[in-house]
C-alpha cells in the first residue's frame, strides 16, 4: 500500500473535521478496463470476507449445491459474513445436515455476534456461542458440503494444502489474475487461507463473475447463480441493518455488495457489467461502508431516487446517547459527487 | 489536521502489512518545551474523554469532593471512561447519593457497555442499562456533586452556558492555553461541550497538572490529587483489561494515562515532569493504544522490565477464533525504539 492514498472519508464534530480516512477504490469492467479509480489500485490487499462469493464457486461448480437442494438462501449464506441471528444459525445447521454433518465438522471457531442487538439476545439465550454462530459458518458449511459431495475428507478443510483450498486457490487465480502462494498468504479470522491480491485484480474478478467475460461456461453460470442468490436474499449475506444487506436492498437484483474485515468492500452492478473493489487504508469499516455507497452512487446518477438512497448511506449524521446530532460521516470531493 | 502525518502503527497479516494508521504525538514538559514529537502537533483535536481529569478540577477546587468524603476511587471515577462493570455503576450511584441525588439527575444518556464480557453480563442481569452504566457516569456524578455543593441548579449542567461548563471552559483555557468558544466547540457523546485544542496545548495542560508549573496553589494541589487518585485506582479509570488501567498498573503511581474517543490518548509521567498527547488521524483506538504505550516506553529506557512491559502493549500479536497467530499490531520506526 502506498503512502499516497487520498483522504476519502471525513468524520466531523461541530464545525470541524475530527478524523480522516484514506483509501483506494477501483471500478473495472469485464475486460479489466478501469472506469474509475482513486489511490493506489495496484497495491496488494487481503480481500478477507469480501471474496466469499469466489470461495463459494466450488460448492456450485461441483454440483454439491444442487445435490443438496440449496436455494437462494443457502447460497447467500455460503457467501455471507452474517450477524449470527437465529435465522443464520439455523440455516447453517440445516446446510450441514443436508450433507449428513453437524456443528462438530466446522473448523471456523466460535465468537459472539459483533452486532449489539444480537449479542444481547445471544447472551440471554446461550451460555456460549457455537461455531454455527461464527459469522463465517455459512461459508464453512458450504465448504463442508463441497467436500462431502466430492468424496473428500472434511477434516482439515481449512488448511492450505487441503484439496478444497487448492481448488479455491485456482478459482481465485483465474478470476483475479494474481498468483497465489505462501508468500502472499495469510490466515483469516476463520482459519482459512486469505491471499493478498492487487485491488484491481480483485475488482476484475468480480467483474468477470457478473459478466462471464473470459470464463468457462460452468464458472460463468455458477458465478451468476451465486451473485443472483446474494441479491435475492440480502439478509442472509449479512443481517439486520448491516451495510451489505442495506446496499442490496436499495436496488433489488441490481447491486451486489460484500464487506470484508479491515476496511475492504467489493460490489458489482451486473446490468452495467462493472465491479468495485476498495480498501480503507486504516481498516475502518465505517469508512469502507461510506466509500462503497459513494462509488455505487456514481453509477446511478441518472436514477435520482436510487442515487439519493446510496448517498444517504455514504453521508450520514451521528447522534449521541441523548439523540443529539454531534457530527457526520461524509465522503470527500475525491469521489466527484 | 495536516495531510502529512506519518504512519505510526501497522497491522500485519502473514508477512504483509494489511492496514496502516497515521497520527501525531507530542510530549512536553511543564514549561511547554517539546521533548518529543511526531506529525502535526499544532493541529486542533477534540480531546474527548482524554481530558476528564481537567474537567474534574471544579469538583476538587470547590471543596465538593472533600465535603462529600470522596477518596481515590471516587476521584478516579470522576476522571473515568469506565466499562460499566458493577463496581463502577455502584460507585457512581454512591457519589450521587452523597449529594442527595440519584440516577435521574444524570444527563449523559444510556448505553450498553462497550466491553464484550460486560455487555454479556449486563444483558443477563438488566432489561436495559441506565445512565449509571454510561461510561461517563462518574464524571457526570462529579459534575452534579460540584453543582450541589456550590448551590448551583443541576438541571442543564451539560449545557454550554451552564455555570459549571463555563467554569470548566476557564479551567481548560488556563491549562491548554487555547481560547475555547463556540467556533471550536463540539458536543461529546455524553452531551457536554468538547473543545478542539492544539495537540501540544493539550499535552502542556497535563504537564502543568503534574508539575504545577504556572498554576495557582489551589489548582496545582487539586491537579496532583486527581492524577494521584487515578494512578492509585486504575480500575476505576477504565476497567478490566482496558488500556488505561493496564498502563497505570504497569508502573503503579508513576504513569497516568487516559483515553478519549476517536483515537486520542493523554498520559503523564509525574516524576519526569512530562505529559503526552496524541491522536490517531483515523480515530482508531487500537492505534492510539499502541502509540501511547510506545511513547511512554521511550521515557523508561533505563528500566528494562518496565520498558519491555510497555513495549508489549505497543506491539502485540493478534489471534483468530481458533487461537492461531494471524498477525501483529506494531508501532513503526518513527518512534525510534
Amino acid at each position: 500500500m502506498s503512502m499516497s492514498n487520498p483522504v476519502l472519508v471525513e468524520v466531523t464534530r461541530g464545525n470541524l473535521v475530527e478524523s480522516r480516512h484514506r483509501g483506494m477504490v477501483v471500478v473495472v469492467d469485464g475486460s479489466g478496463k478501469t472506469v474509475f479509480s482513486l489511490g493506489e489500485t495496484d497495491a496488494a490487499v487481503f480481500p478477507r470476507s469480501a471474496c466469499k462469493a469466489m470461495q463459494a464457486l466450488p460448492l456450485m461448480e461441483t454440483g454439491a449445491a444442487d445435490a443438496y437442494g440449496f436455494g437462494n438462501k443457502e447460497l447467500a449464506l455460503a457467501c455471507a459474513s452474517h450477524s449470527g441471528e437465529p435465522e443464520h444459525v439455523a440455516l447453517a445447521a440445516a446446510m450441514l445436515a443436508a450433507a449428513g454433518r453437524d456443528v462438530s465438522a466446522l473448523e471456523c471457531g466460535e465468537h459472539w455476534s459483533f452486532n449489539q442487538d444480537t449479542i444481547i439476545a445471544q447472551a440471554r439465550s446461550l451460555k456460549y456461542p457455537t461455531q454455527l454462530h461464527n459469522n463465517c459458518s455459512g461459508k464453512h458449511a458450504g465448504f463442508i458440503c463441497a467436500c462431502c459431495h466430492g468424496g473428500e475428507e472434511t477434516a482439515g478443510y481449512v488448511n492450505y494444502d487441503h484439496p478444497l483450498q487448492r481448488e479455491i486457490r485456482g478459482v481465485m487465480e483465474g478470476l483475479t489474475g494474481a498468483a497465489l502462494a505462501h508468500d502472499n498468504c495469510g490466515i483469516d479470522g476463520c482459519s482459512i487461507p486469505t491471499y493478498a491480491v492487487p485491488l484491481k485484480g480483485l475488482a476484475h474478478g468480480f467483474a468477470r463473475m457478473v459478466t462471464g467475460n473470459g470464463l468457462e461456461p460452468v464458472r460463468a453460470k455458477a458465478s451468476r447463480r451465486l451473485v443472483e442468490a446474494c441479491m435475492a436474499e440480502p439478509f442472509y449475506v449479512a443481517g439486520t441493518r448491516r451495510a451489505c444487506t442495506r446496499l442490496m436492498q436499495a436496488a433489488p437484483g441490481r447491486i451486489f455488495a460484500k464487506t470484508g474485515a479491515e476496511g475492504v468492500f467489493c460490489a458489482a452492478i451486473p446490468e452495467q457489467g462493472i465491479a468495485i473493489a476498495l480498501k480503507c487504508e486504516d481498516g475502518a469499516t465505517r469508512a469502507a461502508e461510506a466509500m462503497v455507497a459513494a462509488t455505487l452512487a456514481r453509477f446511478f446518477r441518472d436514477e435520482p431516487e436510487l442515487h439519493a438512497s446510496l448517498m444517504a448511506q455514504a453521508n450520514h449524521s451521528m447522534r449521541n446517547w441523548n439523540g443529539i446530532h454531534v457530527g457526520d460521516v461524509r465522503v470527500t470531493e475525491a469521489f466527484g459527487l
Side-chain angles (χ1 to χ4, degrees), chain A residues 29-294:
Chain A
D29 67 16
S31 73
K33 194 184 93 178
T34 298
V35 296
F36 179 69
S37 78
L38 294 167
E40 294 295 314
T41 59
D42 292 329
V45 305
F46 286 109
R48 307 292 303 275
S49 292
C51 70
K52 277 176 174 166
M54 296 179 178
Q55 295 166 333
L57 280 165
L59 173 69
M60 284 305 307
E61 294 180 4
T62 59
D66 291 332
Y68 296 127
F70 291 169
N72 286 338
K73 289 180 181 172
E74 290 84 355
L75 297 180
L77 198 71
C79 301
S81 299
H82 64 72
S83 290
E85 295 175 70
E87 299 89 335
H88 302 129
V89 174
L91 190 59
M95 289 170 70
L96 288 167
R101 302 302 174 105
D102 65 18
V103 60
S104 65
L106 292 170
E107 299 181 0
C108 51
E110 301 132 9
H111 67 78
W112 294 96
S113 178
F114 308 136
N115 176 270
Q116 184 177 279
D117 289 345
T118 308
I119 192 174
I120 290 166
Q122 287 179 345
R124 289 170 174 167
S125 60
L126 302 172
K127 184 165 183 201
Y128 201 75
T130 71
Q131 295 193 102
L132 291 168
H133 298 86
N134 186 307
N135 77 92
C136 302
S137 69
K139 176 181 74 175
H140 281 250
F143 286 169
I144 289 165
C145 288
C147 292
C148 289
H149 181 71
E152 293 287 355
E153 180 64 49
T154 66
Y157 71 85
V158 297
N159 296 333
Y160 186 92
D161 290 320
H162 187 281
L164 177 70
Q165 297 304 334
R166 284 209 300 267
E167 171 81 9
I168 289 172
R169 199 148 58 235
V171 166
M172 291 197 58
E173 286 187 325
L175 288 170
T176 66
L180 309 185
H182 280 292
D183 65 338
N184 60 349
C185 181
I187 299 171
D188 214 325
C190 65
S191 296
I192 70 162
T194 177
Y195 308 92
V197 297
L199 193 70
K200 192 180 164 186
L202 184 60
H204 194 187
F206 278 102
R208 284 184 166 119
M209 284 184 75
V210 298
T211 61
N213 201 318
L215 301 184
E216 290 172 42
V218 170
R219 180 149 302 166
K221 186 181 169 196
S223 296
R224 198 163 51 242
R225 183 82 187 82
L226 286 168
V227 168
E228 285 172 356
C230 291
M231 296 192 298
E233 294 290 349
F235 170 80
Y236 284 91
V237 178
T240 306
R241 284 190 297 281
R242 291 272 307 279
C244 297
T245 301
R246 289 165 58 228
L247 289 166
M248 291 193 278
Q249 285 171 339
R254 304 175 63 199
I255 290 175
F256 166 81
K258 181 68 192 77
T259 192
E262 292 294 331
V264 176
F265 230 113
C266 290
I269 306 173
E271 70 197 28
Q272 297 188 33
I274 59 173
I276 299 164
L278 61 83
K279 177 171 166 76
C280 170
E281 186 181 282
D282 60 71
T285 298
R286 67 179 178 188
E289 291 177 356
M291 289 156 64
V292 72

Side-chain angles (χ1 to χ4, degrees), chain A residues 3-21:
Chain A
M3 296 288 116
S4 61
N5 288 312
V7 174
L8 298 182
V9 177
E10 293 174 336
V11 179
T12 68
R13 182 167 300 268
N15 298 319
L16 302 171
V17 173
E18 183 168 23
S19 299
R20 290 184 167 82
H21 297 280

